[in-house]
Amino acid sequence: MSPTPRLPAATGNLLYAQSGGVTAVINATAAGVIEAARARGVKVYAARNGILGALREQLIDTSKESKASITALRHTPGGAFGSCRYKLKSLEESHAEYARLIEVFRAHDIRWFLYNGGNDSADTALKISQLGKAMGYDIRCVGVPKTVDNDLAVTDCCPGFGSVAKYTAISTLEASLDVASMAETSTKVFILEVMGRHAGWIAAAAGLAGDSADAAPHIILFPEVTFDEAAFLARVKATVERVGWCTVVASEGTRNAAGQFLAEAGTRDAFGHAQLGGVAPVLAALVKERLGYKYHWALPDYLQRSARHAASQVDAEQAYAVGEAAVEYALAGMNAVMPVIVRTSDAPYRWKVEPAALAKIANREKKMPKNFISRDGYAITAAARRYLAPLIHGQAPLPYGNNGLPRYVQLRNVALAPKLAEFPPRH
Ligand code: F6P
């Protein structure tokens, strides 16, 4: 990576906020932001619960945290300042909210805003980046990438993904050793359900668990491939008859020919996204009813995206690097950009961080390319392996205490005294 350029002395404060689903390494990004800003003498405030904290003027003064606490963020999962799913509408539709943000920025002399999230958050960051012009306040806004779903456009991969990918590949491998042991007299089919609403990156990562003809996972179900019940059941049966057992990894975003999620729970979040979770039991019931096999299924859900104990070293390093770069860009006066990861070589794996326009990232979803999914739709290809394999490399260091548990940090999160009236105003 290129050396940090010398920057002119900056004035004002920097606001950092976490948004959307958190990851095992989003706090490493926070550490990158805070350490880089401290090195330049810039104070970092953090918004409590993402953009909501900025609107409500619930700001945390990170200068009250010790150096050791900030360093410990590098290995602490979850979102240290809280996150949110909250969508700002257009400048015209949500004028009061944008005006409030400017009011809060002005009250606390915030000149740089870093928003750490996925594609919806990139959209929010882009809109805020347009505020300066629209509302006559000089604010630089930089989006910072994060999402276990790995579906951000432009960047080669997303911080958070490498770790969930590693956890998924390890879990697939371990549970498959278990079912293989039991198959003779007990369980024949194991089904693992993983996250990823519209893109099958996490499911694909399970494919790293094995690379020979009969190695697990035997079937991967991607959101990009329409679920065909008859073909799926035939494949499970053939695998059990040939191998003795079968491991299936299913994305929560698996859909039928009518385009419906197999696992839709019927509820939606603030962005209108369906709340998913439950494709594994649906598939398991099908297997039992139609094939009569004993099964087990698992839904790691939040376990997968918080599993810092199985985090990838590459991912943790990239998460930190995008935080550092975001500060560098903002302080250099860049606006409406995001630091993205550029792969310069597969083997040996090499990468660097570069700025990219938020307009090219906001509201776009990067799905698995066709050449990453096998012709039959149930496995990953060699090209996918080349892409995925480096992202799970290395074990990110994690200190353990005498109690046998990881030493995670709990920040003090000292609140700044509010200067403004409550928002939204009480009538
Ligand atoms: O942020 C991505 C993600 O982890 C998805 O893969 C998952 O469907 C979703 O978040 C869950 O969101 P929430 O935590 O808001 O229920």
Side-chain angles (χ1 to χ4, degrees):
M1 293 190 53
S2 55
T4 307
R6 284 190 179 282
L7 298 167
T11 58
N13 301 309
L14 184 148
L15 181 65
Y16 167 77
Q18 301 177 323
S19 175
V22 294
T23 77
V25 297
I26 189 172
N27 286 334
T29 301
V33 167
I34 296 167
E35 288 179 352
R38 281 186 179 184
R40 289 161 175 79
V42 171
K43 198 177 252 195
V44 176
Y45 297 148
R48 192 178 287 281
N49 298 324
I51 200 73
L52 284 179
L55 286 165
R56 294 173 178 157
E57 204 195 358
Q58 292 173 344
L59 307 181
I60 292 160
D61 185 353
T62 71
S63 70
K64 305 285 186 216
E65 308 294 341
S66 69
K67 192 171 183 293
S69 292
I70 299 304
T71 304
L73 282 179
R74 284 188 84 147
H75 66 252
T76 301
F81 310 108
S83 186
C84 72
R85 292 202 187 274
Y86 186 81
K87 193 159 173 106
L88 284 175
K89 299 202 178 106
S90 67
L91 291 173
E92 298 74 43
E93 280 172 287
S94 295
H95 191 266
E97 289 186 314
Y98 288 103
R100 168 67 177 191
L101 283 172
I102 290 296
E103 198 188 8
V104 171
F105 291 167
R106 193 171 269 134
H108 296 277
D109 195 19
I110 291 161
R111 293 292 170 178
W112 304 282
F113 179 58
L114 307 191
Y115 206 28
N116 194 180
N119 27 29
D120 292 323
S121 315
D123 175 63
T124 302
L126 179 62
K127 284 175 180 147
I128 295 171
S129 76
Q130 295 159 350
L131 273 179
K133 249 193 186 160
M135 291 180 151
Y137 182 78
D138 186 18
I139 180 82
R140 306 293 151 135
C141 186
V142 173
V144 196
K146 165 268 18 160
T147 176
V148 292
D149 291 346
N150 202 39
D151 59 356
L152 285 176
V154 186
T155 189
D156 180 69
C157 62
C158 303
F161 172 66
S163 295
V164 76
K166 189 176 180 97
Y167 174 90
T168 301
I170 292 174
S171 301
T172 302
L173 184 59
E174 291 177 341
S176 297
L177 291 173
D178 195 310
V179 66
S181 321
M182 303 306 294
E184 179 65 29
T185 54
S186 181
T187 304
K188 298 261 188 298
V189 177
F190 173 68
I191 303 168
L192 176 68
E193 172 174 340
V194 296
M195 284 181 165
R197 281 193 197 100
H198 303 130
W201 296 103
I202 303 176
L208 293 174
D211 194 10
S212 58
D214 286 339
H218 306 103
I219 299 175
I220 302 177
L221 299 178
F222 301 97
E224 289 89 349
V225 179
T226 301
F227 179 70
D228 177 336
E229 189 179 298
F232 167 74
L233 288 168
R235 184 78 168 212
V236 172
K237 187 164 185 287
T239 306
V240 171
E241 285 170 1
R242 192 177 69 251
V243 182
W245 52 281
C246 176
T247 292
V248 178
V249 176
S251 165
E252 66 177 358
T254 307
R255 290 170 190 254
N256 61 21
Q260 292 157 329
F261 289 118
L262 260 57
E264 191 150 346
T267 48
R268 292 192 176 263
D269 69 14
F271 291 96
H273 301 142
Q275 161 121 38
L276 302 181
V279 71
V282 168
L283 294 170
L286 203 58
V287 163
K288 179 77 190 159
E289 191 188 301
R290 307 285 280 282
L291 303 175
Y293 296 138
K294 181 174 175 204
Y295 61 80
H296 272 262
W297 57 266
L299 206 175
D301 198 69
Y302 276 12
L303 301 182
Q304 69 200 283
R305 71 180 203 200
S306 61
R308 184 56 181 75
H309 64 282
S312 141
Q313 169 71 4
V314 164
D315 189 34
E317 280 172 12
Q318 292 180 338
Y320 187 86
V322 294
E324 266 187 320
V327 170
E328 210 179 280
Y329 300 165
L331 268 54
M334 291 188 198
N335 191 29
V337 294
M338 176 180 272
V340 295
I341 292 157
V342 177
R343 181 184 299 226
T344 55
S345 151
D346 278 329
Y349 178 55
R350 291 210 183 91
W351 56 277
K352 61 182 180 176
V353 177
E354 275 180 3
L358 273 182
K360 293 195 169 150
I361 299 166
N363 293 320
R364 298 181 192 202
E365 255 176 344
K366 186 168 72 186
K367 302 204 176 172
M368 289 265 293
K370 280 212 166 68
N371 69 329
F372 277 19
I373 301 177
S374 62
R375 276 200 189 168
D376 63 13
Y378 290 130
I380 57 169
T381 61
R385 277 178 203 285
R386 268 197 304 281
Y387 168 78
L388 293 166
L391 305 183
I392 69 166
H393 262 208
Q395 287 76 253
L398 180 56
Y400 278 77
N402 292 335
N403 59 0
L405 295 172
R407 277 188 219 261
Y408 293 140
V409 70
Q410 180 78 53
L411 296 185
R412 295 170 65 214
N413 281 348
V414 177
L416 281 178
K419 297 183 176 179
L420 304 169
E422 261 180 53
F423 183 86
R426 285 205 187 135
H427 297 291

